[in-house]
Amino acid sequence: MAFFPTAELNGIKTTIIHPATEKHIVKFSAQNVYLVDETIDIYRTITLPYIEKEQFSLQWLYNILDHTSESERIIFEDPDPDTGFILLPDLKWDGKTLETLYLLALVHPKDIRSLRDLTGNHIPLLKNIFDKGTKAIEDKYGLNKSQLRIYLHYQPSFYHLHVHFTYLKHDAPVLRIQLNLIGGYLYKDTKAITSTLQQNYLSMCHLLLETGVQKITTVINEKITDIMSTMDLKKKLSLYDVEQIFWNLQVKLCETENDPIKHVRQYVIPEEISESTDLYDSMVRETADLLDSEEVQSLATTLVILIGWTLDLAFLASAKSIV
């Protein structure tokens, strides 16, 4: 019989969708990602008809707005039918870890699909969400509005207007670096970076998501397999054993040229870095330098531990000696 650490140490958050339709399967399958300049004509002739035909049912969301489900999760509500909204935790947030705070404001009006439908008449709604949403977050979590990132997605994950509230610490480090660099260049010269250059530069962050994480996982999996192959899988795991596993993992990773902690850049930047004076190449070089910083290495260490722990559990669960 194998023994596992406590739930606090081996918990894994998952999302279960049942029943899962073909649309759900397609949504969560690996797909290529593209940047598109969507004109109003493209929206009206292509995007809008697609939304009307293919969008998922929003009954789950209407149940929240009508208080027939999830009412216990509501943090704040303004019931006004025109400018009101409900504020509640996003399902991706555990509701406890402040550093990863993630809330959604769901608007009461049901005729606003996305930011494409917003007009000047909706300014009172948006202002109300900002003012009362930030006040509710400060009252409950102690975070000032200057510590929050408040934004809308386009395209959104579902077509009923909703606003995201996240803690500024909850951020992808690569994207943070890129946005800061772009902001610096635009501050010096508002015409320095064209929209095409911005798109090409920001698309780099997709490399980490599409192939980088998979490569990191492969490297970590090899090291975890080496470490676990020397352990007695029938032995009860203590907290000390768990600490030793991750200490050994970091030591073994340091011994390889593919160490995802010290060499984050190779999982983010898609090609050899050019020494030309071209603006794009200069931005890539600056990004590479920042990816080598201690802050990013600290974040990479956390990522390695999370992936390593998941693979460690998978190794134990698949071992034949577990009964």
Side-chain angles (χ1 to χ4, degrees):
M1 177 71 70
F3 293 89
F4 293 93
T6 62
E8 289 77 10
L9 295 175
N10 71 0
I12 297 176
K13 181 176 174 59
T14 62
T15 299
I16 298 176
I17 300 175
H18 176 77
T21 66
E22 185 63 30
K23 290 181 182 178
H24 289 104
I25 295 172
V26 171
K27 177 181 178 180
F28 291 100
S29 298
Q31 302 179 48
N32 290 327
V33 180
Y34 302 93
L35 289 170
V36 177
D37 289 326
E38 183 188 79
T39 64
I40 188 60
D41 289 335
I42 291 176
Y43 174 74
R44 289 171 176 167
T45 60
I46 299 176
T47 308
L48 183 57
Y50 179 83
I51 293 170
E52 293 174 338
K53 179 182 178 182
E54 300 292 339
Q55 73 170 331
F56 294 98
S57 170
L58 294 175
Q59 190 56 52
W60 64 271
L61 184 146
Y62 298 150
N63 289 342
I64 295 175
L65 295 177
D66 297 338
H67 288 233
T68 56
S69 69
E70 302 190 45
S71 58
E72 73 283 354
R73 299 180 65 240
I74 294 176
I75 293 171
F76 174 84
E77 179 176 14
D78 179 340
D80 187 282
D82 297 318
T83 62
F85 65 97
I86 282 179
L87 184 69
L88 76 170
D90 186 278
L91 291 175
K92 292 187 287 294
W93 186 40
D94 62 10
K96 300 175 182 178
T97 310
L98 187 63
E99 286 75 12
T100 58
L101 177 139
Y102 199 147
L103 305 174
L104 288 182
L106 308 176
V107 302
H108 274 301
K110 297 181 179 179
D111 59 345
I112 312 175
R113 294 187 184 92
S114 70
L115 61 81
R116 272 291 191 184
D117 294 329
L118 292 174
T119 69
N121 295 328
H122 295 116
I123 290 177
L125 167 65
L126 297 176
K127 188 175 186 302
N128 192 46
I129 292 173
F130 177 82
D131 291 340
K132 293 184 179 178
T134 54
K135 178 66 165 55
I137 292 173
E138 183 170 16
D139 290 344
K140 186 171 181 63
Y141 301 107
L143 296 178
N144 183 270
K145 60 187 176 183
S146 63
Q147 296 175 283
L148 300 173
R149 178 181 291 102
I150 307 167
Y151 58 95
L152 297 90
H153 281 148
Y154 189 80
Q155 300 283 338
S157 55
F158 56 90
Y159 287 90
H160 177 98
L161 189 73
H162 55 284
V163 179
H164 300 256
F165 290 78
T166 63
Y167 190 12
L168 282 175
K169 287 186 176 181
H170 179 54
D171 195 8
V174 176
L175 182 58
R176 188 196 314 168
I177 288 171
Q178 291 180 293
L179 293 177
N180 285 341
L181 278 174
I182 287 177
Y185 277 98
L186 290 176
Y187 178 78
K188 290 184 288 187
D189 183 356
T190 57
K191 298 180 180 179
I193 302 179
T194 64
S195 59
T196 300
L197 177 56
Q198 287 187 47
Q199 290 178 4
N200 291 339
Y201 176 64
L202 289 174
S203 67
M204 276 201 322
C205 69
H206 290 299
L207 181 71
L208 176 63
L209 299 176
E210 293 172 0
T211 62
V213 172
Q214 181 59 48
K215 291 179 180 178
I216 291 173
T217 301
T218 300
V219 172
I220 296 174
N221 188 51
E222 292 175 356
K223 304 306 177 186
I224 283 289
T225 301
D226 290 343
I227 295 169
M228 299 303 294
S229 63
T230 64
M231 296 185 64
D232 180 0
L233 299 181
K234 294 183 179 180
K235 176 186 174 183
K236 180 179 179 179
L237 288 177
S238 65
L239 181 58
Y240 174 79
D241 294 326
V242 175
E243 291 175 343
Q244 288 302 303
I245 289 173
F246 292 117
W247 174 252
N248 290 337
L249 173 61
Q250 292 187 53
V251 170
K252 284 185 173 292
L253 287 174
C254 287
E255 297 171 351
T256 174
E257 61 182 13
N258 297 322
D259 180 3
I261 296 176
K262 291 185 177 180
H263 306 295
V264 180
R265 65 161 71 184
Q266 67 177 284
Y267 299 99
V268 179
I269 298 176
E271 65 248 336
E272 291 295 326
I273 302 177
S274 171
E275 295 299 326
S276 77
T277 57
D278 179 83
L279 181 56
Y280 174 81
D281 291 331
S282 297
M283 293 170 70
V284 172
R285 286 197 298 273
E286 289 186 55
T287 304
D289 290 340
L290 289 169
L291 287 173
D292 290 336
S293 67
E294 291 185 2
E295 179 189 15
V296 172
Q297 288 187 19
S298 175
L299 290 167
T301 301
T302 301
L303 174 63
V304 165
I305 290 175
L306 289 173
I307 295 176
W309 182 230
T310 302
L311 293 174
D312 185 22
L313 288 176
F315 185 96
L316 289 169
S318 62
K320 294 181 180 179
S321 57
I322 294 181
V323 295

Coordinates of all heavy atoms in Angstrom, one line a residue, residues 241-309:
D241 N 10.5 13.3 2.7 CA 10.7 12.7 1.4 C 10.3 13.5 0.3 O 11.0 13.6 -0.8 CB 9.9 11.4 1.4 CG 10.4 10.3 2.4 OD1 11.6 10.3 2.6 OD2 9.5 9.6 2.9
V242 N 9.2 14.2 0.4 CA 8.7 15.1 -0.6 C 9.7 16.3 -0.9 O 10.0 16.6 -2.0 CB 7.3 15.7 -0.2 CG1 6.9 16.7 -1.3 CG2 6.3 14.6 -0.1
E243 N 10.2 16.8 0.2 CA 11.2 17.9 0.1 C 12.4 17.4 -0.6 O 13.0 18.1 -1.5 CB 11.6 18.5 1.5 CG 10.4 19.2 2.2 CD 10.8 19.6 3.6 OE1 11.8 19.0 4.1 OE2 10.1 20.5 4.1
Q244 N 12.9 16.2 -0.3 CA 14.0 15.6 -1.0 C 13.8 15.4 -2.5 O 14.7 15.6 -3.3 CB 14.4 14.3 -0.3 CG 15.0 14.5 1.1 CD 16.3 15.4 1.1 OE1 17.2 15.1 0.4 NE2 16.2 16.5 1.8
I245 N 12.6 15.0 -2.8 CA 12.3 14.8 -4.2 C 12.5 16.1 -5.0 O 13.1 16.1 -6.1 CB 10.9 14.2 -4.4 CG1 10.7 12.8 -3.9 CG2 10.4 14.3 -5.9 CD1 9.3 12.3 -3.9
F246 N 12.0 17.2 -4.5 CA 12.1 18.4 -5.2 C 13.5 19.0 -5.1 O 13.9 19.7 -6.0 CB 11.0 19.4 -4.7 CG 9.6 18.9 -5.1 CD1 8.7 18.6 -4.2 CD2 9.3 18.7 -6.5 CE1 7.4 18.1 -4.5 CE2 8.0 18.3 -6.8 CZ 7.1 18.0 -5.9
W247 N 14.2 18.8 -4.1 CA 15.5 19.2 -4.0 C 16.4 18.5 -5.0 O 17.2 19.1 -5.8 CB 16.1 19.0 -2.6 CG 17.6 19.3 -2.5 CD1 18.6 18.5 -2.3 CD2 18.2 20.6 -2.6 NE1 19.8 19.1 -2.3 CE2 19.6 20.5 -2.4 CE3 17.7 21.9 -2.7 CZ2 20.4 21.5 -2.4 CZ3 18.6 23.0 -2.7 CH2 19.9 22.8 -2.6
N248 N 16.2 17.2 -5.1 CA 16.9 16.4 -6.1 C 16.5 16.8 -7.5 O 17.4 16.8 -8.4 CB 16.6 14.9 -5.9 CG 17.2 14.3 -4.7 OD1 18.2 14.9 -4.2 ND2 16.7 13.2 -4.2
L249 N 15.3 17.2 -7.7 CA 14.8 17.6 -9.0 C 15.6 18.9 -9.5 O 16.1 18.9 -10.6 CB 13.3 17.8 -9.0 CG 12.7 18.5 -10.3 CD1 12.9 17.5 -11.5 CD2 11.2 18.7 -10.1
Q250 N 15.6 19.8 -8.6 CA 16.3 21.1 -8.9 C 17.8 20.9 -9.2 O 18.4 21.5 -10.1 CB 16.1 22.1 -7.8 CG 14.7 22.6 -7.7 CD 14.5 23.7 -6.7 OE1 15.2 24.8 -6.8 NE2 13.6 23.6 -5.8
V251 N 18.4 20.0 -8.4 CA 19.8 19.7 -8.6 C 20.1 19.0 -9.9 O 21.0 19.4 -10.7 CB 20.4 18.7 -7.5 CG1 21.7 18.2 -7.8 CG2 20.4 19.5 -6.1
K252 N 19.2 18.1 -10.3 CA 19.4 17.4 -11.6 C 19.1 18.3 -12.8 O 19.8 18.2 -13.8 CB 18.4 16.2 -11.7 CG 18.9 15.0 -10.8 CD 18.0 13.8 -11.0 CE 18.6 12.5 -10.4 NZ 19.8 12.1 -11.1
L253 N 18.2 19.2 -12.6 CA 17.9 20.2 -13.7 C 19.1 21.1 -13.9 O 19.4 21.5 -15.0 CB 16.6 21.0 -13.4 CG 15.3 20.3 -13.5 CD1 14.1 21.1 -13.0 CD2 15.0 19.8 -14.9
C254 N 19.7 21.5 -12.8 CA 20.9 22.4 -12.9 C 22.0 21.7 -13.7 O 22.9 22.4 -14.2 CB 21.4 22.8 -11.5 SG 20.3 23.9 -10.7
E255 N 22.0 20.4 -13.8 CA 23.1 19.7 -14.4 C 22.9 19.6 -15.9 O 23.7 19.1 -16.7 CB 23.2 18.2 -13.9 CG 23.6 18.2 -12.4 CD 23.5 16.9 -11.8 OE1 23.0 15.9 -12.4 OE2 23.9 16.7 -10.6
T256 N 21.7 20.0 -16.4 CA 21.4 19.9 -17.9 C 21.4 21.3 -18.5 O 21.1 22.3 -17.9 CB 20.1 19.2 -18.1 OG1 19.7 19.3 -19.5 CG2 19.0 20.0 -17.3
E257 N 21.8 21.3 -19.8 CA 21.8 22.6 -20.5 C 20.3 23.1 -20.8 O 20.1 24.2 -21.2 CB 22.5 22.5 -21.8 CG 22.0 21.4 -22.8 CD 22.8 21.3 -24.0 OE1 23.9 21.8 -24.1 OE2 22.3 20.6 -25.0
N258 N 19.4 22.2 -20.6 CA 18.0 22.5 -20.8 C 17.3 23.0 -19.6 O 16.0 22.9 -19.5 CB 17.2 21.3 -21.5 CG 17.8 21.0 -22.8 OD1 18.1 21.8 -23.6 ND2 17.9 19.7 -23.1
D259 N 18.0 23.3 -18.5 CA 17.4 23.7 -17.3 C 16.4 24.8 -17.5 O 16.8 25.9 -17.9 CB 18.6 24.2 -16.3 CG 18.0 24.6 -15.0 OD1 16.8 24.5 -14.7 OD2 18.8 25.1 -14.1
P260 N 15.1 24.5 -17.2 CA 14.1 25.6 -17.5 C 14.1 26.7 -16.4 O 13.4 27.7 -16.6 CB 12.8 24.7 -17.4 CG 13.1 23.6 -16.5 CD 14.5 23.3 -16.8
I261 N 14.9 26.5 -15.4 CA 15.0 27.6 -14.4 C 16.0 28.7 -14.8 O 15.7 29.9 -14.9 CB 15.3 27.1 -13.0 CG1 14.2 26.1 -12.5 CG2 15.6 28.2 -12.0 CD1 14.5 25.5 -11.2
K262 N 17.2 28.2 -15.2 CA 18.2 29.2 -15.6 C 18.2 29.6 -17.1 O 18.7 30.6 -17.4 CB 19.6 28.5 -15.3 CG 19.9 28.4 -13.8 CD 21.3 27.9 -13.6 CE 21.7 27.8 -12.2 NZ 23.1 27.3 -11.9
H263 N 17.5 28.8 -17.9 CA 17.4 29.1 -19.3 C 16.0 29.2 -19.8 O 15.6 28.5 -20.8 CB 18.2 28.0 -20.1 CG 19.6 27.7 -19.6 ND1 20.6 28.7 -19.7 CD2 20.2 26.7 -19.0 CE1 21.7 28.3 -19.2 NE2 21.5 27.0 -18.7
V264 N 15.2 30.0 -19.1 CA 13.8 30.2 -19.5 C 13.7 30.7 -21.0 O 12.8 30.3 -21.7 CB 13.1 31.2 -18.6 CG1 11.7 31.4 -19.0 CG2 13.2 30.8 -17.2
R265 N 14.7 31.5 -21.4 CA 14.6 32.1 -22.7 C 14.5 31.1 -23.9 O 13.8 31.4 -24.8 CB 15.8 33.0 -23.0 CG 17.1 32.3 -23.1 CD 18.2 33.1 -23.8 NE 18.7 34.2 -23.0 CZ 19.5 35.1 -23.4 NH1 20.0 35.0 -24.6 NH2 19.9 36.1 -22.6
Q266 N 15.1 29.9 -23.7 CA 15.0 29.0 -24.9 C 13.6 28.4 -25.0 O 13.3 27.8 -26.1 CB 16.0 27.9 -24.7 CG 15.8 26.9 -23.5 CD 16.8 25.8 -23.4 OE1 16.7 24.9 -24.2 NE2 17.7 25.9 -22.5
Y267 N 12.8 28.5 -24.0 CA 11.4 28.0 -24.1 C 10.4 29.1 -24.5 O 9.2 28.9 -24.7 CB 11.0 27.4 -22.8 CG 11.8 26.3 -22.4 CD1 12.8 26.4 -21.4 CD2 11.6 25.0 -22.9 CE1 13.6 25.4 -21.1 CE2 12.4 23.9 -22.5 CZ 13.4 24.1 -21.6 OH 14.2 23.1 -21.2
V268 N 10.9 30.3 -24.7 CA 10.1 31.5 -25.0 C 10.4 32.1 -26.3 O 9.5 32.5 -27.1 CB 10.2 32.5 -23.9 CG1 9.3 33.8 -24.2 CG2 9.8 32.0 -22.5
I269 N 11.7 32.3 -26.6 CA 12.1 33.0 -27.8 C 12.4 31.9 -28.9 O 13.2 31.0 -28.7 CB 13.4 33.8 -27.5 CG1 13.1 34.9 -26.5 CG2 14.0 34.4 -28.8 CD1 14.3 35.7 -26.0
P270 N 11.7 32.1 -30.1 CA 11.7 31.0 -31.1 C 12.9 30.9 -31.9 O 13.1 29.9 -32.6 CB 10.5 31.5 -31.9 CG 10.4 32.9 -31.8 CD 10.8 33.2 -30.4
E271 N 13.8 31.8 -31.9 CA 15.0 31.7 -32.8 C 16.2 32.2 -32.2 O 16.2 32.8 -31.1 CB 14.7 32.4 -34.1 CG 14.6 33.9 -34.0 CD 13.2 34.4 -34.2 OE1 12.4 33.7 -34.9 OE2 12.9 35.5 -33.7
E272 N 17.3 32.0 -32.9 CA 18.6 32.6 -32.4 C 18.4 34.2 -32.4 O 17.8 34.7 -33.3 CB 19.7 32.2 -33.4 CG 20.1 30.8 -33.3 CD 20.7 30.4 -32.0 OE1 21.4 31.3 -31.4 OE2 20.5 29.3 -31.5
I273 N 19.0 34.8 -31.4 CA 18.8 36.2 -31.3 C 19.8 37.0 -32.2 O 21.0 36.8 -32.2 CB 19.1 36.7 -29.8 CG1 18.1 35.9 -28.9 CG2 18.9 38.2 -29.7 CD1 18.3 36.2 -27.4
S274 N 19.2 37.8 -33.1 CA 20.0 38.5 -34.1 C 20.7 39.7 -33.4 O 20.2 40.3 -32.4 CB 19.1 39.0 -35.2 OG 19.7 40.0 -36.0
E275 N 21.8 40.1 -33.9 CA 22.6 41.2 -33.4 C 22.3 42.5 -34.2 O 23.0 43.5 -34.1 CB 24.1 40.9 -33.4 CG 24.5 39.8 -32.5 CD 24.1 40.1 -31.0 OE1 24.2 41.3 -30.7 OE2 23.8 39.2 -30.3
S276 N 21.3 42.5 -35.1 CA 21.0 43.6 -36.0 C 20.4 44.7 -35.1 O 20.0 44.6 -34.0 CB 20.0 43.2 -37.1 OG 18.7 43.2 -36.6
T277 N 20.4 45.9 -35.7 CA 19.8 47.1 -35.0 C 18.3 47.3 -35.3 O 17.7 48.3 -34.9 CB 20.6 48.4 -35.5 OG1 20.5 48.5 -36.9 CG2 22.0 48.3 -35.1
D278 N 17.7 46.3 -36.0 CA 16.3 46.3 -36.2 C 15.5 46.4 -34.9 O 15.9 45.8 -33.9 CB 15.9 45.1 -37.0 CG 14.4 45.0 -37.3 OD1 14.0 45.7 -38.3 OD2 13.7 44.4 -36.5
L279 N 14.5 47.2 -34.9 CA 13.7 47.5 -33.6 C 13.2 46.2 -33.0 O 13.3 45.9 -31.8 CB 12.6 48.4 -33.9 CG 11.7 48.8 -32.6 CD1 12.6 49.3 -31.5 CD2 10.7 49.8 -33.0
Y280 N 12.6 45.3 -33.9 CA 12.1 44.0 -33.4 C 13.2 43.2 -32.7 O 13.0 42.7 -31.6 CB 11.5 43.2 -34.5 CG 11.0 41.8 -34.1 CD1 9.8 41.6 -33.5 CD2 11.8 40.7 -34.4 CE1 9.4 40.4 -33.1 CE2 11.4 39.5 -34.0 CZ 10.2 39.3 -33.4 OH 9.8 38.0 -33.0
D281 N 14.3 43.1 -33.4 CA 15.5 42.3 -32.8 C 16.0 42.9 -31.5 O 16.3 42.2 -30.6 CB 16.6 42.2 -33.8 CG 16.2 41.4 -35.0 OD1 15.4 40.4 -34.9 OD2 16.8 41.6 -36.1
S282 N 16.0 44.2 -31.4 CA 16.4 44.9 -30.2 C 15.4 44.6 -29.1 O 15.8 44.3 -27.9 CB 16.4 46.4 -30.4 OG 17.4 46.8 -31.4
M283 N 14.1 44.5 -29.4 CA 13.1 44.2 -28.3 C 13.3 42.8 -27.9 O 13.1 42.5 -26.7 CB 11.7 44.5 -28.9 CG 11.4 45.9 -29.2 SD 9.9 46.2 -30.0 CE 8.7 45.7 -28.8
V284 N 13.6 41.9 -28.8 CA 13.8 40.5 -28.5 C 15.0 40.3 -27.6 O 15.0 39.5 -26.6 CB 13.9 39.6 -29.7 CG1 14.3 38.2 -29.4 CG2 12.6 39.6 -30.5
R285 N 16.1 41.0 -27.9 CA 17.3 40.9 -27.1 C 17.0 41.5 -25.6 O 17.5 40.9 -24.7 CB 18.4 41.8 -27.7 CG 19.1 41.1 -28.9 CD 20.4 41.7 -29.2 NE 20.3 43.1 -29.5 CZ 20.0 43.6 -30.8 NH1 19.8 42.8 -31.8 NH2 19.9 44.9 -31.0
E286 N 16.3 42.6 -25.5 CA 15.9 43.1 -24.2 C 15.1 42.1 -23.4 O 15.2 41.9 -22.2 CB 15.2 44.4 -24.3 CG 16.1 45.6 -24.8 CD 15.3 46.9 -24.8 OE1 14.8 47.2 -23.7 OE2 15.3 47.6 -25.8
T287 N 14.1 41.4 -24.1 CA 13.3 40.4 -23.5 C 14.1 39.3 -23.0 O 13.9 38.8 -21.9 CB 12.3 39.9 -24.5 OG1 11.5 40.9 -25.0 CG2 11.3 38.9 -23.8
A288 N 15.1 38.8 -23.8 CA 16.0 37.7 -23.4 C 16.8 38.1 -22.1 O 16.9 37.3 -21.2 CB 16.9 37.4 -24.5
D289 N 17.3 39.3 -22.1 CA 18.0 39.7 -20.9 C 17.1 39.7 -19.6 O 17.6 39.3 -18.6 CB 18.6 41.1 -21.1 CG 19.7 41.2 -22.2 OD1 20.3 40.1 -22.4 OD2 20.0 42.3 -22.7
L290 N 15.9 40.2 -19.8 CA 15.0 40.2 -18.6 C 14.6 38.8 -18.2 O 14.3 38.5 -17.0 CB 13.8 41.0 -19.0 CG 14.0 42.6 -19.0 CD1 12.8 43.3 -19.6 CD2 14.3 43.1 -17.7
L291 N 14.5 37.9 -19.2 CA 14.1 36.5 -18.9 C 15.2 35.8 -18.0 O 15.0 34.8 -17.4 CB 13.9 35.7 -20.1 CG 12.5 36.0 -20.9 CD1 12.5 35.3 -22.2 CD2 11.3 35.7 -20.0
D292 N 16.4 36.4 -18.1 CA 17.5 35.8 -17.3 C 17.6 36.4 -15.9 O 18.5 36.1 -15.1 CB 18.9 36.1 -18.0 CG 19.0 35.3 -19.3 OD1 18.4 34.2 -19.4 OD2 19.8 35.7 -20.2
S293 N 16.7 37.3 -15.6 CA 16.7 38.0 -14.3 C 16.3 37.0 -13.1 O 15.7 36.0 -13.4 CB 15.7 39.2 -14.3 OG 14.4 38.7 -14.4
E294 N 16.7 37.4 -11.9 CA 16.4 36.6 -10.8 C 14.9 36.4 -10.5 O 14.4 35.4 -10.1 CB 17.1 37.2 -9.5 CG 18.6 37.1 -9.5 CD 19.2 37.6 -8.2 OE1 18.4 38.0 -7.3 OE2 20.4 37.6 -8.1
E295 N 14.1 37.5 -10.8 CA 12.7 37.5 -10.6 C 12.0 36.4 -11.5 O 11.2 35.6 -11.0 CB 12.0 38.8 -11.0 CG 10.5 38.8 -10.8 CD 9.8 40.0 -11.3 OE1 10.5 40.8 -12.1 OE2 8.7 40.3 -11.0
V296 N 12.4 36.3 -12.7 CA 11.9 35.3 -13.6 C 12.3 33.9 -13.2 O 11.6 33.0 -13.3 CB 12.3 35.6 -15.1 CG1 11.8 34.5 -16.0 CG2 11.6 36.9 -15.5
Q297 N 13.6 33.8 -12.8 CA 14.1 32.5 -12.4 C 13.3 32.0 -11.1 O 13.0 30.8 -11.0 CB 15.6 32.6 -12.1 CG 16.4 32.7 -13.3 CD 17.9 32.6 -13.0 OE1 18.3 32.1 -12.0 NE2 18.7 33.0 -13.9
S298 N 12.9 32.9 -10.3 CA 12.1 32.6 -9.1 C 10.8 32.0 -9.5 O 10.3 31.0 -9.0 CB 12.0 33.8 -8.2 OG 11.1 33.5 -7.1
L299 N 10.1 32.7 -10.5 CA 8.8 32.3 -11.0 C 9.0 30.9 -11.7 O 8.1 30.1 -11.6 CB 8.3 33.3 -12.0 CG 7.8 34.6 -11.3 CD1 7.5 35.7 -12.4 CD2 6.6 34.4 -10.5
A300 N 10.1 30.8 -12.5 CA 10.3 29.5 -13.2 C 10.5 28.3 -12.2 O 10.0 27.2 -12.4 CB 11.5 29.6 -14.1
T301 N 11.1 28.6 -11.0 CA 11.2 27.6 -10.0 C 9.9 27.1 -9.5 O 9.6 25.9 -9.3 CB 12.0 28.1 -8.8 OG1 13.3 28.6 -9.3 CG2 12.2 27.1 -7.7
T302 N 8.9 28.1 -9.3 CA 7.6 27.7 -8.9 C 6.9 26.8 -9.9 O 6.3 25.8 -9.6 CB 6.7 29.0 -8.6 OG1 7.4 29.8 -7.6 CG2 5.3 28.6 -8.2
L303 N 7.1 27.2 -11.2 CA 6.5 26.4 -12.3 C 7.0 25.0 -12.3 O 6.3 24.0 -12.5 CB 6.7 27.1 -13.6 CG 6.3 26.3 -14.9 CD1 4.8 26.2 -14.9 CD2 6.8 27.1 -16.2
V304 N 8.3 24.9 -12.1 CA 9.0 23.6 -12.2 C 8.5 22.7 -11.0 O 8.2 21.5 -11.2 CB 10.5 23.7 -12.0 CG1 11.2 22.4 -11.7 CG2 11.1 24.3 -13.4
I305 N 8.3 23.3 -9.8 CA 7.8 22.6 -8.7 C 6.4 22.1 -8.9 O 6.1 20.9 -8.6 CB 7.9 23.4 -7.4 CG1 9.3 23.6 -7.0 CG2 7.1 22.8 -6.3 CD1 9.5 24.6 -5.8
L306 N 5.5 22.9 -9.5 CA 4.2 22.5 -9.8 C 4.1 21.4 -10.8 O 3.4 20.4 -10.6 CB 3.4 23.7 -10.3 CG 3.1 24.8 -9.2 CD1 2.4 26.0 -9.9 CD2 2.1 24.3 -8.2
I307 N 4.9 21.5 -11.9 CA 4.9 20.5 -12.9 C 5.5 19.2 -12.3 O 5.0 18.1 -12.5 CB 5.7 20.9 -14.2 CG1 4.9 22.1 -14.8 CG2 5.8 19.8 -15.1 CD1 5.7 22.7 -16.0
G308 N 6.6 19.4 -11.6 CA 7.3 18.2 -11.0 C 6.4 17.4 -10.0 O 6.3 16.2 -10.1
W309 N 5.6 18.2 -9.2 CA 4.7 17.5 -8.3 C 3.6 16.7 -9.0 O 3.3 15.6 -8.6 CB 4.1 18.5 -7.3 CG 3.2 17.9 -6.3 CD1 2.0 18.4 -6.0 CD2 3.5 16.8 -5.4 NE1 1.5 17.6 -4.9 CE2 2.4 16.7 -4.6 CE3 4.6 16.0 -5.2 CZ2 2.3 15.7 -3.6 CZ3 4.5 15.0 -4.3 CH2 3.4 14.8 -3.5

